[in-house]
Amino acid sequence: MATATHLLGMDLANPVVVGSGLLTDQERNIRRLLHSGAGAVVTKTIHPNPPTGLDERIIRLPTGMINSTTYSKRSVDHWVGILHDLARDRLPVIASLHADSPAELAELATRVEAAGCRALELGISCLNEKDGLDDAPERVYAYTSAVRAATRVPFSVKLASGEGLHARALAAARAGADAVTISDTLPAAAVHPETGDLRLGGVFGYSGPGIKPLVLASLWKLRSAGFSLPLMGSGGVQSGRDVHDYLGVGAVAVQVYTALHTDMNLTLTRIVAEATGPGKTDHSCEPVVGADRSGQVRS
């Protein structure tokens, strides 16, 4: 069974983490998800200047969903208050952050740290924003190093699976990340059966069971290549078996999100129960040989 794990400086009851999204945009939901058994919850991505006037929607597919959402529309001040209350109660909450520049992201991280938040995830690879489709190691390094210079709070960098992932992951590690989350949503489109046009008006983020084999391969390749920072697997988790699959290829924690859009708390409770059932396995998020305490990866 999957048991307690140490992640980003926090001791979690289990390695099942609720990922960032619409379901984690409210304090009430965050608390309910933790009460339903989540080892930790990642907030909806907090952004100092979220896009306005967007037609943000979700399309349900037989194998997951496509969404055109971006960041929380709640203000940073609003989130600082929420994070302060969650930190006061010592709840395992990871604040997802992004901004329009490395300097702005560093400033945001400083404000969130001051609220008492114990862990961060840098949501810098959202493909529903213009930079997300063409991510590069240099960009990852710039955002990661700026945050590392501004805060001592442990953080993971969330990256999308795909071409050049190893170089991007190494850039995050060399810039001081404490962990890497794989994967953010991947590019996808759906065609309207009557008009032939792309639904949602373009290419947006796909999540769900269809990306699980791709993410498993990404994690396995990173570990096989000697990548040593802790990894969080994210993509297509629907059962405890999926959680164990991710742990089996080197993840130390596993994010679940899309499946929770159906019977949110009941689904989460089931997945946690399945993941923590018979067959004991302990997982620790301590860096392995090859990474020093600053996150620098040695060749």
Side-chain angles (χ1 to χ4, degrees):
M1 86 185 150
T3 58
T5 189
H6 188 72
L7 176 68
L8 297 176
M10 300 184 295
D11 293 318
L12 309 187
N14 64 74
V16 180
V17 176
V18 176
S20 174
L22 292 170
L23 299 179
T24 63
D25 197 29
Q26 298 182 35
E27 180 180 2
R28 178 180 63 181
N29 270 4
I30 291 171
R31 291 181 179 272
R32 288 176 64 195
L33 289 162
L34 289 168
H35 182 73
S36 296
V41 173
V42 185
T43 70
K44 178 75 171 155
T45 302
I46 304 164
H47 196 294
N49 301 294
T52 59
L54 297 180
D55 182 16
E56 298 190 315
R57 291 179 290 157
I58 289 173
I59 298 176
R60 290 182 178 270
L61 303 173
T63 56
M65 69 183 189
I66 300 174
N67 78 86
S68 61
T69 64
T70 54
Y71 310 112
S72 176
K73 301 302 181 290
R74 303 178 191 279
S75 70
V76 173
D77 287 340
H78 179 88
W79 273 110
V80 165
I82 290 175
L83 293 170
H84 178 271
D85 290 345
L86 295 170
R88 177 198 60 204
D89 294 338
R90 299 297 293 172
L91 295 176
V93 173
I94 302 168
S96 175
L97 309 179
H98 190 34
D100 292 331
S101 71
E104 288 178 305
L105 185 56
E107 181 181 355
L108 177 59
T110 300
R111 291 196 62 186
V112 169
E113 179 182 21
C117 190
R118 292 185 287 160
L120 312 175
E121 182 175 83
L122 308 189
I124 64 174
S125 296
C126 175
L127 64 84
N128 293 349
E129 275 275 84
K130 61 181 181 180
D131 290 335
L133 288 170
D134 266 327
D135 218 348
E138 295 78 13
R139 180 179 176 275
V140 172
Y141 187 92
Y143 275 99
T144 305
S145 60
V147 173
R148 181 76 291 157
T151 179
R152 298 177 63 184
V153 173
F155 64 85
S156 181
V157 178
K158 191 172 187 179
L159 301 173
S161 182
E163 186 176 355
L165 173 61
H166 189 232
R168 287 180 280 124
L170 282 176
R174 288 170 176 151
D178 298 283
V180 172
T181 303
I182 310 293
S183 166
D184 210 322
T185 56
L186 300 179
V191 177
H192 194 289
E194 296 178 0
T195 66
D197 297 329
L198 291 187
R199 298 177 67 181
L200 301 180
V203 174
F204 291 99
Y206 168 67
S207 60
I211 77 169
K212 179 191 167 188
L214 307 179
V215 181
L216 285 173
S218 292
L219 296 181
W220 186 86
K221 286 182 177 180
L222 283 172
R223 286 294 186 230
S224 297
F227 186 77
S228 56
L229 285 190
L231 294 171
M232 271 195 282
S234 177
V237 172
Q238 297 181 294
S239 68
R241 177 69 264 167
D242 295 323
V243 174
H244 284 284
D245 287 348
Y246 275 117
L247 297 177
V249 296
V252 296
V254 181
Q255 293 191 7
V256 55
Y257 180 76
T258 300
L260 304 184
H261 274 259
T262 302
D263 299 326
M264 179 177 76
N265 293 290
L266 290 175
T267 299
L268 176 61
T269 299
R270 173 183 58 78
I271 291 173
V272 172
E274 292 170 354
T276 56
K280 185 174 181 180
T281 303
D282 287 307
H283 297 275
S284 174
C285 195
E286 295 300 325
V288 297
V289 175
D292 64 26
R293 293 179 63 85
S294 69
Q296 296 292 321
V297 174
R298 300 191 298 270
S299 57

